[in-house]
Amino acid sequence: MVNLPPVEAEDQEAIRAVLSGDEEAFRRLVDKYARSIFNLGYRMTGNAADAEDMAQEAFLQAYARLRDFRAGSRFHPWLYTIALNLCRSHLRRRSLPRWLAPTREREEDRPEPQLPERSPDPEQALLAREAEEGLERAIAALPVKYREVFILRQSQELSYEEIAALLGLPLGTVEVRLFRARRLLLKTLEASNLRKASRKAK
Amino acid sequence: MGLIARDVRLDLGRLGAGVILLVLVASGPVWGDATFDASDIRGRLESRGFTPSQTQAALATLDRAEGHGLPASALVNRIREGIARGAQPSVILGVLTVRLADLERADEVTRRCAKEGITVRDRDRSVMRLADSFSMGVTPGDVVTVVPAAARTGRDLETVSRAAEVMGRLGQRGFPPADTRDVLAAATGAGWTREQMDGLVAVYVEAQRLGVGRERMRQILVEGIRDRKEPSHLVEDLKESAKAASASHPSASSHSPNAPASGSSTPPSGKGGKGGASHGPGPKVVPHHPPPPPPPPRPRP
Amino acid sequence: MSSSPCRHPIDGLLHRKADGRLSPEEAIALEQLIGSCSACRERAALSDWVGNTLRGQRALPVGFSDRVLRRVAALRSPARARERSPALHWLPATVGALAVGLIVFSVYVFRGRAPLEAPHVQVELKLAGDKARTVAVAGDFNGWDAVVMKKGEDGVWKTRLSLPPGRYRYAFVVDSEKWVADPQAATVVDSGYGGADSVLDISL
């Protein structure tokens, strides 16, 4: 325990405090990891309401099972696993027949477009937002196995080793899935851009 | 009491406590299981290859359920099922995680109902029914949509949970809860029985067969139910709507908000059904409308 | 290995670039493809854009931590309410013990005549399966220990159950290996184990 990097030592300390009855100590863990769990949920489910729902559940589950958490192992990956399981089951239930398009989010729930800091040109802002929606749809079209690896790498920026450990996969499998995910995503985006361009041309 | 020596009092106290304990233990089987049999479950899990920490994790889930007053038996059944179906320990633990989450969410909805004055009877069964509806894709927000109507008309938790179940069954057939919850709220407020709500599934399937658009479906059903129409009458309204659609608007994409469209491309008509039923937290839906074709994204340098 | 219309091997290069693992030779090869082929240029630009867009993290909804902590507190309070005070006063204890003893005694004695259990409901489950060798049913009502059903002359497998009111999940097992939900059940849910469960919800 002495040799733990400071980040993990903090977590172990917080866990110890919670287990001795200090509920508020759990807030330290929530504050630290909420954003990354929420973003994982957001990228996996495609909307903020479900992402918050999932993130809350993940932390509650973690709290409930804290007693069984092996002291000395890392908290973040363990929390991740819980979150991923919840995402997976959410996605399983939400799959509707193909002919139904996913319903749109409310205006307020949509992400801010990732524009650099300058006065937003309204037309540019609109284009950027639509492009991002296209990206979200394309990600949602990825098979779950590819989507997970892709999001963990691109959005959560985990290393190959971390992803492999989290998902219980060999490194080689992670690499292959990531490659296929990227290739499929680019193809999907190109195809939908082509459709939009030809529709506009008519 | 001053007549009895202090140590005698303590002894009697301990005796009393011991008798109570004995009686409670012995009476377990008479009053029904308040708890699950941890040692029995542990034995089954270990003989199925669960490691000690996996076993602990499973039992922890059961403890938590019980700690919140949730039916731990529901989770025990999931363990028994997983074992019977030959599932891996990690998969069983995954199912327990998810089921516990659903039960907790169901419990919150139940508490919300109680707060609104809705009668709670046979709580465990309604909680399980709600949890099942979540596994069919319904969200707590969807269920909360019917709560005001239920509270207003003195309906109980069972009704709310059955409405949620119908939403789930409709969702499985391709009618998402975001579209059907207003209809279920109307039915709840109009005093529809369980059988009548079950009958909504057939109505939706028929409407789809007739080619009525989703938004139009919702409007006709909500208004019709509020006007106290019978299901057969509603089907008649839907038929007329479908006929009108094919007569006056041969093309699939029409721009008038009130014109029914066939298939899944419905014109925008603003946020769904406000009339009366307030939306729960996080209402999500604007009916699907085809996005304007944007140019391909100009990639940023 | 390429999926783009120009058939240049750009996918692998873009993949390694996205992970920052391009070797100098690969970087040059990529530059050449981008310079010479418009399809490759478009795809490379798209790949960069995807990477940049996804790197941005969405802000956490305000008050998230508060909401979680509130729910955590709610998790603990039912347990707290159930904690009994360590010091039992002797008088209530003995009176309580006697009262409880009396109740238990009377229940044990009168058990046969005044059952505490709710009356049972008769239920019949059916599955059409003329070609099956055996059909069994497993569910919450029998701890998922499959019980074999009887095949009628009409080729339909049947079983009768006597159950207290409640909500039960179940499925049929055909030929000891194939799990099948009841096609006649009104409600069917995902079991989480790869197949579906039917739901039986009985009231008096």
Side-chain angles (χ1 to χ4, degrees):
Chain A
M1 286 285 259
V2 173
N3 291 329
L4 272 185
V7 160
E8 289 168 29
E10 259 172 29
D11 292 350
Q12 299 300 329
E13 193 42 57
I15 292 173
R16 249 199 306 274
V18 174
L19 289 176
S20 5
D22 182 1
E23 249 169 48
E24 274 301 305
F26 193 64
R27 185 184 288 266
R28 299 206 294 268
L29 290 167
V30 176
D31 284 339
K32 200 164 166 193
Y33 295 115
R35 196 162 188 221
S36 86
I37 297 294
F38 174 74
N39 272 274
L40 172 67
Y42 182 78
R43 293 296 176 193
M44 285 292 284
T45 66
N47 82 80
D50 287 341
E52 161 145 17
D53 203 26
M54 185 285 296
Q56 282 195 20
E57 287 303 332
F59 279 106
L60 282 171
Q61 286 292 326
Y63 180 84
R65 284 153 59 171
L66 213 51
R67 210 162 291 276
D68 310 308
F69 173 71
R70 229 177 35 248
S73 50
R74 293 172 57 219
F75 178 75
H76 194 193
W78 183 71
L79 180 62
Y80 247 108
T81 314
I82 295 175
L84 267 175
N85 276 331
L86 289 168
C87 286
R88 281 172 185 160
S89 94
H90 170 95
L91 289 173
R92 248 206 314 272
R93 302 159 186 194
R94 277 293 194 179
S95 52
L96 294 173
R98 277 277 164 221
W99 65 271
L100 275 182
T103 48
R104 300 268 279 212
E105 292 178 50
R106 284 188 311 170
E107 283 296 316
E108 310 89 280
D109 286 347
R110 290 225 225 101
E112 304 308 308
Q114 303 300 326
L115 283 178
E117 293 296 317
R118 55 190 159 120
S119 53
D121 167 5
E123 205 205 316
Q124 273 294 331
L126 181 67
L127 288 179
R129 193 176 297 181
E130 280 168 353
E132 285 205 29
E133 278 170 22
L135 178 58
E136 277 164 34
R137 273 196 295 273
I139 292 178
L142 289 175
V144 176
K145 285 196 166 72
Y146 292 173
R147 194 184 325 183
E148 281 178 353
V149 177
F150 179 74
I151 287 169
L152 289 174
R153 179 90 190 116
Q154 301 275 173
S155 164
Q156 300 289 296
E157 298 188 309
L158 298 183
S159 70
Y160 273 60
E161 287 76 13
E162 286 171 324
I163 296 175
L166 202 62
L167 297 178
L169 294 171
L171 274 174
T173 309
V174 173
E175 163 121 45
V176 165
R177 283 193 191 172
L178 193 52
F179 171 73
R180 288 184 184 155
R182 284 169 169 155
R183 184 176 57 178
L184 184 54
L185 186 75
L186 290 173
K187 276 172 63 180
T188 308
L189 284 170
E190 281 173 0
S192 87
N193 288 347
L194 219 58
R195 275 201 301 274
K196 290 171 194 165
S198 66
R199 225 184 290 155
K200 193 180 186 210
K202 282 195 181 119
Chain B
M1 266 184 249
L3 294 172
I4 304 177
R6 187 172 168 278
D7 43 1
V8 176
R9 256 187 276 145
L10 279 173
D11 285 337
L12 283 172
R14 286 196 202 108
L15 180 66
V19 174
I20 287 182
L21 214 55
L22 244 165
V23 160
L24 286 175
V25 165
S27 61
V30 173
W31 272 302
D33 300 16
T35 60
F36 51 91
D37 189 342
S39 51
D40 173 66
I41 292 169
R42 178 172 287 132
R44 287 175 193 274
L45 294 177
E46 280 169 4
S47 69
R48 279 311 181 115
F50 272 62
T51 66
S53 71
Q54 284 172 326
T55 306
Q56 251 333 95
L59 290 171
T61 336
L62 299 179
D63 280 329
R64 295 310 154 193
E66 221 180 39
H68 314 174
L70 295 170
S73 56
L75 297 178
V76 172
N77 283 329
R78 302 290 56 77
I79 293 176
R80 301 290 297 264
E81 182 183 2
I83 291 175
R85 284 183 182 259
Q88 292 296 312
S90 57
V91 173
I92 296 181
L93 285 175
V95 168
L96 287 179
T97 304
V98 169
R99 188 63 174 163
L100 178 62
D102 286 343
L103 289 170
E104 284 175 2
R105 246 177 289 192
D107 195 43
E108 277 185 32
V109 171
T110 303
R111 259 178 264 170
R112 168 77 179 261
C113 286
K115 230 193 289 183
E116 304 285 333
I118 290 174
T119 310
V120 174
R121 261 189 297 259
D122 199 0
R123 186 195 186 105
D124 280 356
R125 201 171 352 163
S126 294
V127 163
M128 290 203 285
R129 204 179 286 119
L130 285 168
D132 281 348
S133 77
F134 299 152
S135 80
M136 292 191 264
V138 179
T139 67
D142 293 326
V143 182
V144 167
T145 308
V146 316
V147 166
R152 202 177 53 236
T153 52
R155 310 213 60 186
D156 62 10
L157 177 67
E158 182 185 330
T159 308
V160 172
S161 67
R162 288 196 187 276
E165 190 179 37
V166 172
M167 270 189 241
R169 288 164 54 198
L170 286 169
Q172 289 174 330
R173 280 167 181 74
F175 308 101
D179 287 346
T180 60
R181 59 198 197 181
D182 291 333
V183 175
L184 266 309
T188 304
W192 277 35
T193 64
R194 163 201 176 182
E195 287 74 23
Q196 287 174 317
M197 285 197 203
D198 285 345
L200 270 175
V201 178
V203 171
Y204 266 90
V205 169
E206 179 64 12
Q208 184 182 85
R209 200 189 60 81
L210 293 167
V212 182
R214 280 198 287 161
E215 178 53 23
R216 193 69 190 128
M217 243 189 256
R218 201 189 58 79
Q219 282 171 358
I220 291 176
L221 290 174
V222 169
E223 284 164 16
I225 293 173
R226 290 219 186 98
D227 291 342
R228 294 296 194 271
K229 289 184 185 171
E230 298 267 316
S232 49
H233 199 156
L234 293 171
V235 174
E236 286 305 314
D237 287 350
L238 290 164
K239 278 199 184 117
E240 278 176 27
S241 169
K243 268 193 228 132
S246 49
S248 55
H249 294 276
S251 78
S253 62
S254 86
H255 297 286
S256 153
N258 286 323
S262 50
S264 60
S265 101
T266 4
S269 59
K271 291 218 161 34
K274 288 260 174 68
S278 65
H279 289 265
K284 283 187 212 170
V285 179
V286 173
H288 167 62
H289 59 279
R298 282 285 139 241
R300 253 146 275 290
Chain C
M1 48 159 190
S2 167
S3 57
S4 66
C6 60
R7 304 174 89 75
H8 290 136
I10 194 170
D11 291 323
L13 294 170
L14 290 178
H15 170 64
R16 294 177 69 75
K17 180 180 184 197
D19 289 332
R21 294 184 304 157
L22 275 180
S23 70
E25 297 81 25
E26 287 170 330
I28 293 171
L30 183 60
E31 282 307 308
Q32 283 177 340
L33 280 176
I34 289 175
S36 62
C37 168
S38 67
C40 287
R41 186 165 49 246
E42 295 273 333
R43 186 169 283 202
L46 200 53
S47 173
D48 285 343
W49 174 78
V50 168
N52 288 332
T53 307
L54 289 179
R55 206 158 319 189
Q57 289 239 314
R58 198 185 156 83
L60 194 63
V62 170
F64 179 83
S65 300
D66 291 328
R67 289 193 280 283
V68 172
L69 264 294
R70 224 178 303 141
R71 289 181 68 185
V72 162
L75 280 186
R76 295 261 293 231
S77 46
R80 272 196 216 115
R82 281 172 40 197
E83 272 167 33
R84 285 178 293 174
S85 60
L88 284 172
H89 297 281
W90 67 273
L91 186 55
T94 40
V95 168
L98 285 171
V100 171
L102 201 61
I103 292 173
V104 171
F105 171 77
S106 51
V107 162
Y108 271 124
V109 165
F110 298 115
R111 205 168 177 196
R113 300 127 205 232
L116 287 180
E117 297 175 349
H120 286 204
V121 175
Q122 306 301 316
V123 169
E124 188 176 59
L125 296 176
K126 291 188 247 189
L127 182 68
D130 210 22
K131 299 198 187 70
R133 274 173 283 119
T134 60
V135 176
V137 64
D140 290 347
F141 39 71
N142 60 13
W144 291 85
D145 268 327
V147 162
V148 178
M149 296 160 70
K150 286 203 174 63
K151 184 174 179 180
E153 296 190 352
D154 49 1
V156 175
W157 297 78
K158 301 190 183 88
T159 190
R160 277 226 179 81
L161 303 167
S162 183
L163 302 173
R167 194 168 169 88
Y168 306 92
R169 288 199 191 181
Y170 67 99
F172 299 118
V173 193
V174 177
D175 294 340
S176 303
E177 57 177 7
K178 186 158 178 269
W179 290 79
V180 163
D182 186 346
Q184 299 195 327
T187 300
V188 169
V189 295
D190 179 20
S191 68
Y193 296 118
D197 285 342
S198 0
V199 176
L200 192 57
D201 194 319
I202 19 183
S203 314
L204 290 170

